Amino acid sequence: MLKKETLPGVVCLITLLHVCFFSAAVSGQNPTCPPSSCGDTLNISDPFRLKTDPSGCGDRRYELACENNRTVLNLYGGKYYVEEINYKNYTIRVVDQGLKKGDCLSPPLYHLNFEKFSYDDPYEWPSYWKFRTTILMSCSKQINENKFIPIIPCNSSNGGNSFSSSQSYHYALTGDGDSLQVGDLPGSCTIGKSIFSEMGADWEPEIRSMSDLQDQILLGFKLSFLQIRCIRECKVKGENCNMDYNVNSVKCEVPNACKDWFDCGQPEWLRSLVIILLLIFASIYTPIIAGGLIVRGLIGALLCYVIYKLRQRHISKHDTNKNIPLVNHNSQP
């Protein structure tokens, strides 16, 4: 048995050992990780990591690859070049690997849309973010409208991606996601692939050539990785998370939290009593209110009928008086 004098010292020793062990464990799980780099992407840091980084660096849900000196994001079976990572706004801008600048327009290799994303995915593409849609098409007739941009599709002979069409004319139609309508597409055209890209500034010049179009679509599009804040600030505590992509903020909520007085942990007997009182009130006053409305409705209908009959009598009398002088006038010799 320990003496009373030695008990405080033992407690202090155990506490010190626990703190030291915890610190060592934490440092082992989260070693100091300097930023990685690949090509033009110089700051790849938490939550992102490269495949070649130590196992304790970054989050594997945000793992990137370095291929041919280009940073690559593998997403839903597609590969996208990483153009920019904004750690302040929690956004990553990527572009399809098939899109290139050149003498011909290459279509994207992969098709990515909003439906592929779900709530728990590490990335999100909020549907209310503004984006540009470019529709590629092949037409049997020439189009002379300015909004249809003539393009030269890449094919296997010039080293590009094949553009499946046997028709003679090729165009692109571009605009924000809300402005393009089905009626804008000519009936003589066959629709090809769609390309999504970031909307530029409001003052950007109008796209008039294939070169301008290539510059636009090579901007790529942005995805949000705000989900990492939900994981680290809310879900780790077992709480729900609401994300606001406009201001890049998250709000944690306790699951099944009460929304009003009736749900906020009131005793069962008290809630039952409130329900009984409400039923009694409804059973007493509903017939009275309903009866009052019915009586008022009948009185109103009766008054309307009386006014209608009096008015009819007045009109009949007035018409009779109008006809008297005409009869007298016609009876004169």
Side-chain angles (χ1 to χ4, degrees):
M1 181 178 291
L2 294 174
K3 296 182 179 179
K4 292 183 178 180
E5 292 81 359
T6 61
L7 186 58
V10 173
V11 173
C12 292
L13 179 60
I14 293 174
T15 303
L16 181 61
L17 290 173
H18 176 75
V19 171
C20 293
F21 176 78
F22 179 76
S23 300
V26 171
S27 62
Q29 293 175 356
N30 300 285
T32 302
C33 298
S36 302
S37 63
C38 176
D40 294 333
T41 311
L42 302 178
N43 182 21
I44 302 175
S45 55
D46 185 72
F48 294 97
R49 55 171 277 116
L50 290 177
K51 289 184 176 180
T52 55
D53 286 344
S55 59
C57 293
D59 191 308
R60 291 197 175 275
R61 285 167 291 198
Y62 297 92
E63 187 170 81
L64 306 174
C66 189
E67 301 177 1
N68 299 321
N69 213 29
R70 294 288 300 269
T71 307
V72 176
L73 168 65
N74 291 278
L75 187 66
Y76 302 117
K79 289 188 175 184
Y80 302 87
Y81 289 131
V82 177
E83 298 295 325
E84 178 189 19
I85 300 176
N86 190 320
Y87 293 94
K88 182 179 179 180
N89 294 334
Y90 293 90
T91 57
I92 179 171
R93 183 163 57 87
V94 298
V95 62
D96 190 290
Q97 278 190 338
L99 301 176
K100 297 177 177 64
K101 180 78 172 181
D103 297 332
C104 60
L105 185 68
S106 57
L109 295 178
Y110 312 102
H111 181 65
L112 191 65
N113 54 34
F114 301 111
E115 286 76 15
K116 291 190 176 181
F117 295 85
S118 60
Y119 176 77
D120 291 325
D121 289 352
Y123 298 98
E124 178 59 53
W125 189 357
S127 58
Y128 53 83
W129 278 6
K130 286 188 175 181
F131 63 95
R132 177 180 293 276
T133 302
T134 300
I135 301 175
L136 307 181
M137 61 187 72
S138 301
C139 305
S140 59
K141 298 179 181 179
Q142 189 173 5
I143 302 175
N144 296 318
E145 297 182 46
N146 291 332
K147 63 181 180 179
F148 293 94
I149 305 168
I151 61 173
I152 302 174
C154 294
N155 53 48
S156 56
S157 63
N158 56 25
N161 299 295
S162 61
F163 191 94
S164 177
S165 176
S166 59
Q167 294 173 304
S168 303
Y169 305 98
H170 307 284
Y171 299 94
L173 181 63
T174 184
D176 64 77
D178 296 328
S179 65
L180 293 181
Q181 305 293 331
V182 177
D184 296 332
L185 308 178
S188 62
C189 298
T190 301
I191 306 304
K193 289 188 176 181
S194 298
I195 306 173
F196 300 109
S197 58
E198 182 181 4
M199 285 293 294
D202 295 336
W203 45 264
E204 70 177 1
E206 186 178 357
I207 298 175
R208 295 184 177 273
S209 66
M210 186 181 74
S211 179
D212 294 340
L213 180 62
Q214 287 177 325
D215 291 337
Q216 173 63 46
I217 61 179
L218 283 173
L219 289 175
F221 53 91
K222 288 181 180 179
L223 301 174
S224 172
F225 59 95
L226 190 61
Q227 179 71 235
I228 190 63
R229 285 193 59 187
C230 273
I231 295 172
R232 294 178 175 178
E233 298 179 22
C234 303
K235 295 183 179 179
V236 71
K237 298 182 293 184
E239 297 178 349
N240 296 330
C241 179
N242 290 324
M243 293 175 282
D244 188 338
Y245 296 103
N246 289 324
V247 295
N248 301 300
S249 66
V250 299
K251 182 181 179 182
C252 302
E253 292 184 353
V254 179
N256 302 320
C258 57
K259 303 298 182 181
D260 51 40
W261 177 89
F262 195 77
D263 291 329
C264 287
Q266 304 300 335
E268 187 66 29
W269 66 267
L270 182 57
R271 286 189 288 181
S272 301
L273 178 61
V274 171
I275 293 174
I276 293 173
L277 291 175
L278 289 174
L279 291 175
I280 294 174
F281 177 85
S283 63
I284 294 175
Y285 288 98
T286 299
I288 297 176
I289 296 172
L293 292 175
I294 293 173
V295 171
R296 290 182 182 181
L298 291 174
I299 293 174
L302 181 61
L303 288 175
C304 289
Y305 178 76
V306 171
I307 292 172
Y308 171 77
K309 297 300 291 183
L310 291 174
R311 181 174 176 80
Q312 288 296 107
R313 290 181 61 185
H314 174 74
I315 292 173
S316 177
K317 183 177 179 180
H318 180 67
D319 291 341
T320 303
N321 292 336
K322 284 173 60 180
N323 291 331
I324 290 175
L326 290 175
V327 173
N328 293 337
H329 177 75
N330 292 334
S331 62
Q332 290 179 355

